Amino acid sequence: VCRSLLVDLLRTAASRAENEIDILMPGYTHLQPAQPIRWSHWIMSHAWRWKRDLDRLDDLTKRVDIMPLGSGALAGHPFGIDRKSLAQDLNFSEISKNSLDAVSDRDFIAEFLFWGSMLSIHLSQWSEDLIIYGSSEFGYVTQSDAYSTGSSLMPQKKNPDALELLRGKSGRSIGHLAGLLTVLKGLPSTYNKDLQEDKEILFDCVDTLEACIPISTGV
């Protein structure tokens, strides 16, 4: 699901860049005006980051496509299951080679959490640019009413709520990665109950990304 959502985001960015290629804007270094650039050039600067995220996800998927079933508690099982045939039936590309490693391996979760953190950081950087460009001091962009709110006390304001929430969610993703790595760092070999901590943070990371990517596409 995350992959298809990311592809939609990339297609939207490419379409916007093509349609708005004649719009010019200041380019910045150190947040100071530097050289004139095309608005489409800025859009695609973030799209290329998302493209790398897509490539990383595809690479990650190949690397973690390993079936651990048959490892038992730590030293296999007595049932004579053909693991290679089972892996083929379940659409895994290969089987794990060492049962002691397989029951404790959470590299695949750590890699996914890193991927989610990197994507979240890229969405956060994009959001920050748009928040700045939409401020009254800059005034280059106007947020859609669907992704911003006003203020009953200060009606002149248009707050970029969606972008701020996207920016904030990156901290959640990074925290999940740091949390899992902290759990893993002191574990002895094979299975330990600490590893149950992987489920909640993995599921929350997926849920968060599945919410953030479509919002980014809408913005």
Side-chain angles (χ1 to χ4, degrees):
V1 175
C2 287
R3 189 186 191 283
S4 63
L5 292 174
L6 189 52
V7 169
D8 288 341
L9 176 60
L10 283 164
R11 286 174 176 164
T12 300
S15 177
R16 289 287 300 268
E18 182 177 12
N19 293 333
E20 300 164 19
I21 194 168
D22 292 329
I23 299 175
L24 302 179
M25 64 175 287
Y28 293 86
T29 62
H30 310 279
L31 209 56
Q32 302 294 319
Q35 292 176 301
I37 61 172
R38 293 185 184 273
W39 167 248
S40 58
H41 200 40
W42 174 85
I43 292 175
M44 293 307 296
S45 71
H46 290 280
W48 280 112
R49 296 176 181 180
W50 301 330
K51 175 59 167 61
R52 291 196 298 272
D53 292 324
L54 182 64
D55 292 342
R56 268 189 288 268
L57 181 60
D58 289 342
D59 183 58
L60 162 66
T61 302
K62 297 174 190 174
R63 192 163 48 255
V64 304
D65 190 16
I66 299 172
M67 188 193 77
L69 292 177
S71 299
L74 79 161
H77 59 81
F79 302 116
I81 296 173
D82 185 340
R83 297 185 68 216
K84 290 185 177 179
S85 177
L86 181 59
Q88 189 174 28
D89 291 341
L90 296 176
N91 293 320
F92 283 96
S93 62
E94 60 180 300
I95 62 173
S96 57
K97 301 301 193 294
N98 185 288
S99 61
L100 299 182
D101 171 56
V103 299
S104 62
D105 173 38
R106 295 299 184 275
D107 292 5
F108 64 101
I109 296 181
E111 284 203 61
F112 182 84
L113 292 177
F114 170 78
W115 176 80
S117 297
M118 201 72 249
L119 173 58
S120 295
I121 287 170
H122 289 155
L123 293 176
S124 177
Q125 292 173 326
W126 170 76
S127 298
E128 175 65 7
D129 272 359
L130 287 177
I131 290 169
I132 292 172
Y133 296 161
S135 67
S136 58
E137 288 79 7
F138 287 73
Y140 302 146
V141 300
T142 301
Q143 305 299 329
S144 167
D145 290 342
Y147 297 98
S148 57
T149 61
S151 169
S152 58
L153 182 62
M154 297 166 285
Q156 80 280 7
K157 294 186 66 180
K158 194 170 189 180
N159 300 321
D161 287 10
L163 294 171
E164 291 175 350
L165 290 170
L166 288 172
R167 187 176 59 186
K169 289 296 184 183
S170 63
R172 187 187 190 104
S173 299
I174 295 167
H176 284 332
L177 174 60
L180 179 67
L181 295 178
T182 302
V183 168
L184 296 177
K185 72 174 184 61
L187 293 183
S189 296
T190 75
Y191 183 75
N192 296 270
K193 210 70 168 181
D194 314 50
L195 293 171
Q196 287 194 351
E197 290 297 313
D198 64 355
K199 311 298 186 299
E200 182 179 2
I201 55 181
L202 174 62
F203 298 155
D204 186 73
C205 180
V206 172
D207 290 343
T208 299
L209 292 173
E210 288 183 356
C212 289
I213 301 172
I215 291 173
S216 302
T217 303
V219 170

